[in-house]
Amino acid sequence: MTTLSTAGQVLRCFSARRQELTVTEVAELLSLPKSNVSRLLRAMREAGFLESVPDSRGYRPGILMFELGHSYRRDSALVARAHAAVGRVSRQFGHSGYVSLRDGGDVIGLTFHEGSRMLRVGTPVGQRLPAFAAASGRSLLARLPDEEVRRLYPAPLAPPSPNAPQDMAELLARLDAVRREGFATACDESNPGVGSIAVAVGGRQPGEDACLCIVYPLSLVDGTERERMVAALLAEAREIQARPGAVAPERAGLRSAAA
Amino acid sequence: MTTLSTAGQVLRCFSARRQELTVTEVAELLSLPKSNVSRLLRAMREAGFLESVPDSRGYRPGILMFELGHSYRRDSALVARAHAAVGRVSRQFGHSGYVSLRDGGDVIGLTFHEGSRMLRVGTPVGQRLPAFAAASGRSLLARLPDEEVRRLYPAPLAPPSPNAPQDMAELLARLDAVRREGFATACDESNPGVGSIAVAVGGRQPGEDACLCIVYPLSLVDGTERERMVAALLAEAREIQARPGAVAPERAGLRSAAA
DNA sequence: ACCGTTGTTCCACTTATTGGAACCGCCCAT
DNA sequence: ATGGGCGGTTCCAATAAGTGGAACAACGGT
């Protein structure tokens, strides 16, 4: 193991839940000697990857991570168009929408358009979910051959709810349905009370796909509205696929703030 | 030099301008042999710090950076209160506002509240500016002793505009004024056409300070409005300082999206 | 003041990193 | 077509790092 890959493992220990970690916690999570972890975390702090939390022994990701995170794919044409498309559907129905990407067996929210109804789903930006247990994730997984999906989940699936696929066979069956129908849906899977509809759009390379997803409170949406949202998302995705090089979306205001 | 600190240097080569870098570019920027850079970038990709850009030789920061960046200080009470306070002043006057932090001799935008006027200043979130040439930066620098400010800028200042401090003496004089008056201002410094007013609030530790900043188009604001904005910001900052442990701001909607 | 916990330092051992030079592959100009 | 030129990779011995068990130090709590 190189120092660099261990450092990567350390960073993966952080999440929205775990915003702060100590030497002992990291040592246990990664099964490493405390001595190594102690030096590694200090070295990562010196290098800017981490910072010490004041009045605490803990470490947290450094401001360098924050800075880098905020220009991620800022000028990707595909993401920009997907974001604009999601925004249109979101405005039309009043439900929140977002664009997400796949990273291995997970999906991560990339951009968000907040819904306009009083009861609305909040932002998933920067959050990681298991792809197999999310509409957005399955819409992206469906673009891979079954064989590759199997490789992404070598261990048995750990479904977060009874509505999620319970094993590989069920997952593959649902992916097949996504391939036939062109969209994926989920109800009460990774997030209780939330339903979602997702359509993937392709980049030039496989693995460079993005996903358009609308999320809504289950209590608010009936079959008719759901079908209209599916149709709207499919139409937007078709438009993106049909004309790969089309216009980027507008940006309002002066470009960047002063101080 | 350890691998880790070199990796940190590599990441610092990226910015809003430079979203993608090749082996040769990094080798020149850091004055390192191409052989090392070639291996390092590959190792950083394997570890998740970077990803290869499709149809290009280039590398860009990886999705791991994006993920980590989005939970940075998400649950800091100081930042949350500062953000809420900036939001109130921003709404009152219609101009954009933001919260920023100092990192060495730079400031970085952390949260943003968009203005409501047709002409408004855009987001600085995740962007790095030289602290000495920004109102937000000077409000934070003013909390340090002169001696430490000198240490932060060992080389002669490189002012981005004639309105910025041209040398260390002028900077220290302006910091002194900030300490007396309690706020900092800037016009046409790092961003042309933009004026700004900034007030710092303190964390428990020095260096853990945050800055409340209002930014406006110079063409829209006269002396009277400016003074009222200064007063509003000062009042908010006083409130934060007076009651360090007070309430966090509201968050709307269901907490996190499903998929 | 003591104990348990957490983090750091030490040191011999092992392994990775370094950087010059040679090499590969691609694109462009002749 | 062919020979640069350029960007990137690979090779290798010298060098500098990382490793982990154990002893040690620093806190916090009772």
Side-chain angles (χ1 to χ4, degrees):
Chain A
M1 267 303 157
T2 68
T3 309
L4 217 47
S5 63
T6 315
Q9 302 287 343
V10 169
L11 292 178
R12 277 178 238 278
C13 293
F14 292 95
S15 69
R17 263 92 229 248
R18 302 186 148 287
Q19 302 234 18
E20 184 182 333
L21 289 167
T22 65
V23 170
T24 306
E25 287 169 331
V26 173
E28 282 176 3
L29 285 167
L30 301 181
S31 308
L32 290 173
K34 281 197 302 176
S35 58
N36 287 0
V37 173
S38 173
R39 282 169 304 197
L40 178 60
L41 295 190
R42 189 147 22 92
M44 287 176 74
R45 170 155 54 78
E46 298 318 309
F49 292 102
L50 301 179
E51 52 192 42
S52 287
V53 179
D55 300 325
S56 157
R57 288 180 279 245
Y59 290 86
R60 65 183 171 209
I63 201 165
L64 177 61
M65 305 294 101
F66 174 77
E67 191 187 348
L68 291 166
H70 276 271
S71 53
Y72 187 72
R73 302 225 186 160
R74 176 138 305 176
D75 49 37
S76 154
L78 178 64
V79 171
R81 295 189 70 200
H83 179 69
V86 160
R88 283 188 291 271
V89 179
S90 170
R91 258 188 302 276
Q92 183 182 346
F93 294 93
H95 298 302
S96 300
Y98 66 88
V99 175
S100 60
L101 300 178
R102 184 177 62 83
D103 181 36
D106 296 331
V107 274
I108 297 176
L110 194 63
T111 76
F112 179 64
H113 190 283
E114 187 150 20
S116 51
R117 306 205 189 184
M118 278 304 287
L119 181 60
R120 58 182 84 149
V121 180
T123 183
V125 171
Q127 288 189 3
R128 192 176 278 267
L129 286 177
F132 77 90
S136 55
R138 288 195 294 268
S139 77
L140 291 164
L141 290 174
R143 308 202 119 212
L144 302 175
D146 280 6
E147 159 204 13
E148 202 159 336
V149 174
R150 273 185 225 274
R151 260 202 300 276
L152 285 177
Y153 299 105
L157 301 186
S161 107
N163 282 8
Q166 301 296 303
D167 52 38
M168 183 53 69
E170 193 183 341
L171 173 59
L172 293 178
R174 289 177 76 163
L175 294 184
D176 224 56
V178 173
R179 290 186 196 108
R180 282 196 312 275
E181 305 180 326
F183 65 94
T185 63
C187 293
D188 257 332
E189 291 193 20
S190 289
N191 291 74
V194 174
S196 47
I197 306 168
V199 177
V201 293
R204 336 182 128 203
Q205 312 285 93
E208 283 292 303
D209 304 332
C211 163
L212 287 62
C213 185
I214 294 290
V215 276
Y216 51 85
L218 282 170
S219 56
L220 253 56
V221 171
D222 62 14
T224 315
E225 187 180 12
R226 219 183 58 118
E227 272 173 41
R228 287 195 300 131
M229 292 195 286
V230 166
L233 271 184
L234 283 172
E236 291 285 358
R238 226 175 296 122
E239 165 70 14
I240 291 176
Q241 295 291 16
R243 295 194 282 156
V247 286
E250 76 293 337
R251 304 262 172 118
L254 296 183
R255 193 50 186 280
S256 89
Chain B
M1 268 301 157
T2 68
T3 308
L4 217 47
S5 62
T6 314
Q9 301 289 339
V10 169
L11 292 179
R12 275 178 242 277
C13 294
F14 292 95
S15 69
R17 264 94 230 247
R18 303 185 147 288
Q19 302 234 19
E20 183 181 332
L21 289 168
T22 65
V23 169
T24 305
E25 286 169 331
V26 173
E28 282 176 4
L29 285 167
L30 301 181
S31 308
L32 289 173
K34 281 197 301 177
S35 58
N36 287 2
V37 174
S38 172
R39 281 170 304 197
L40 178 60
L41 296 190
R42 191 147 22 95
M44 287 176 75
R45 170 156 55 78
E46 298 318 309
F49 293 101
L50 300 178
E51 49 191 44
S52 286
V53 180
D55 299 325
S56 156
R57 288 179 280 242
Y59 290 87
R60 66 184 171 208
I63 201 164
L64 177 61
M65 306 293 102
F66 174 77
E67 192 187 348
L68 291 166
H70 276 271
S71 53
Y72 186 71
R73 302 226 186 156
R74 176 138 303 178
D75 49 35
S76 154
L78 178 64
V79 171
R81 294 188 71 201
H83 179 69
V86 159
R88 283 189 290 271
V89 180
S90 171
R91 258 188 301 276
Q92 183 182 345
F93 294 93
H95 298 302
S96 299
Y98 67 89
V99 175
S100 60
L101 300 178
R102 183 177 63 81
D103 180 36
D106 296 330
V107 274
I108 297 176
L110 194 63
T111 75
F112 180 65
H113 189 283
E114 186 151 20
S116 51
R117 305 204 190 187
M118 278 302 288
L119 181 59
R120 57 182 84 148
V121 180
T123 183
V125 171
Q127 287 189 4
R128 193 175 278 268
L129 286 177
F132 77 90
S136 55
R138 288 195 294 269
S139 77
L140 291 164
L141 291 174
R143 309 203 119 212
L144 303 175
D146 280 5
E147 159 204 13
E148 202 159 336
V149 174
R150 273 185 227 274
R151 259 202 301 276
L152 285 177
Y153 300 104
L157 301 186
S161 108
N163 282 8
Q166 301 295 302
D167 52 39
M168 182 55 67
E170 192 182 340
L171 172 59
L172 293 178
R174 291 178 75 165
L175 294 185
D176 224 54
V178 173
R179 290 186 196 108
R180 283 195 313 273
E181 305 181 326
F183 66 94
T185 62
C187 293
D188 258 332
E189 292 192 22
S190 289
N191 292 75
V194 174
S196 47
I197 306 168
V199 177
V201 294
R204 337 182 130 202
Q205 313 284 93
E208 282 293 304
D209 304 332
C211 163
L212 288 61
C213 185
I214 294 289
V215 276
Y216 50 85
L218 282 170
S219 55
L220 252 56
V221 171
D222 63 14
T224 314
E225 186 180 12
R226 220 184 57 120
E227 273 173 40
R228 288 194 298 131
M229 290 195 286
V230 166
L233 271 184
L234 283 172
E236 291 285 358
R238 225 175 296 121
E239 165 72 14
I240 291 175
Q241 295 291 15
R243 296 194 281 157
V247 285
E250 75 292 338
R251 302 267 171 113
L254 295 184
R255 192 51 186 280
S256 88

